[in-house]
Amino acid sequence: MYEPHQKLKALALFDFDGTLCNKDSFTGFIFYSLSKRHIVRQGIKILPWIQGYYLNLYPAHAMRPRLYAAMFSQTDQQKILKLAENYAEQLMTQLDPPLYQQLKRHQQLGHEVVLVSASVDLYLKPIAHKLGVHLICTETAFQNQKLTGLYQTVDCSGEQKKLRVLEQFNLQEYDQVYAYGNSDEDLAMFELATHHFMNGQDKCLPTLD
């Protein structure tokens, strides 16, 4: 039983692409930051995997690292980070209004809010900073002022979302855990939640008080 006036703790976990944001931010960043010539040249090299992905023969969590490596290996770190900052500003104008309002309501109530995304840290770090939230995502590697084309972490989707949340937060400290997603890649994260919302399927957002 709670003591009088004891403040309940809550954690809110938000997927990004297709949930808080209305677009595929990773593909968008490729076209925002790289030349069409580079995209076509590198895309041809991994065309069988791209075709396999769109035919549902190759899973997204395996496709993303391959696509990232093909597109960003040995690109200039400072140039990409600057473009990522500008891209983050653009994405902030494309947030889903009801989900964005729900996020702000969580913050107004003093809940801890976390972006949990398979997208990369290059542009999600500035977005998390602008939103004033924690960030769990796929982290990228640099060496000698260049992107290596490799991830520093495993692709942050599916079971990895659940594991990364558990690594960083002791859920026993929270009375309520809310999770917001839009695909099968969010189902493992939903297992942690006392309330969850599947964008595109569920009609009503969780009531907050």
Side-chain angles (χ1 to χ4, degrees):
M1 188 169 181
Y2 298 111
E3 296 294 333
H5 310 300
Q6 181 180 352
K7 186 176 181 180
L8 303 182
K9 289 187 67 176
L11 183 69
L13 310 170
F14 282 82
D15 170 56
F16 192 70
D17 288 14
T19 304
L20 186 60
C21 181
N22 286 320
K23 65 180 289 182
D24 173 358
S25 65
F26 182 53
T27 301
F29 185 58
I30 291 172
F31 286 96
Y32 182 86
S33 61
L34 303 172
S35 70
K36 291 182 180 178
R37 181 179 179 183
H38 177 84
I39 293 169
V40 171
R41 185 171 63 245
Q42 297 305 110
I44 289 173
K45 295 179 181 179
I46 60 168
L47 186 58
W49 289 275
I50 295 175
Q51 291 173 326
Y53 168 70
Y54 282 107
L55 291 171
N56 294 318
L57 301 175
Y58 201 61
H61 68 83
M63 186 62 212
R64 280 187 294 261
R66 191 178 290 275
L67 183 60
Y68 175 78
M71 294 298 164
F72 290 101
S73 180
Q74 296 307 302
T75 54
D76 181 79
Q77 177 183 10
Q78 293 306 315
K79 179 181 178 181
I80 290 296
L81 289 178
K82 179 60 178 175
L83 287 166
E85 283 276 358
N86 295 336
Y87 183 61
E89 292 281 359
Q90 184 183 102
L91 288 177
M92 288 293 294
T93 69
Q94 299 176 21
L95 301 183
D96 180 90
L99 270 298
Y100 183 34
Q101 290 301 316
Q102 184 82 347
L103 183 150
K104 291 198 294 185
R105 179 62 178 154
H106 277 293
Q107 291 177 316
Q108 290 166 358
L109 292 169
H111 300 171
E112 288 189 69
V113 179
V114 192
L115 284 187
V116 187
S117 175
S119 289
V120 294
D121 56 356
L122 300 172
Y123 52 85
L124 285 183
K125 278 186 178 179
I127 287 174
H129 179 72
K130 295 174 192 298
L131 292 173
V133 302
H134 301 284
L135 175 63
I136 295 174
C137 68
T138 302
E139 298 174 12
T140 56
F142 300 92
Q143 188 174 29
N144 300 323
Q145 303 301 309
K146 300 282 186 180
L147 276 70
T148 65
L150 301 175
Y151 287 170
Q152 267 191 328
T153 62
V154 177
D155 182 86
C156 188
S157 62
E159 193 69 18
Q160 278 297 312
K161 287 192 173 187
K162 178 180 177 179
L163 293 175
R164 295 276 299 275
V165 170
L166 291 173
E167 284 175 1
Q168 297 191 34
F169 296 92
N170 179 3
L171 298 192
Q172 293 182 350
E173 296 179 356
Y174 298 90
D175 306 290
Q176 303 289 335
V177 178
Y178 299 82
Y180 302 85
N182 78 307
S183 74
D184 290 349
E185 292 191 345
D186 300 307
L187 293 179
M189 182 172 72
F190 281 8
E191 294 174 7
L192 305 175
T194 53
H195 310 276
H196 56 72
F197 175 82
M198 184 67 82
N199 198 26
Q201 294 184 24
D202 297 334
K203 293 184 179 180
C204 298
L205 288 161
T207 300
L208 305 180
D209 32 53

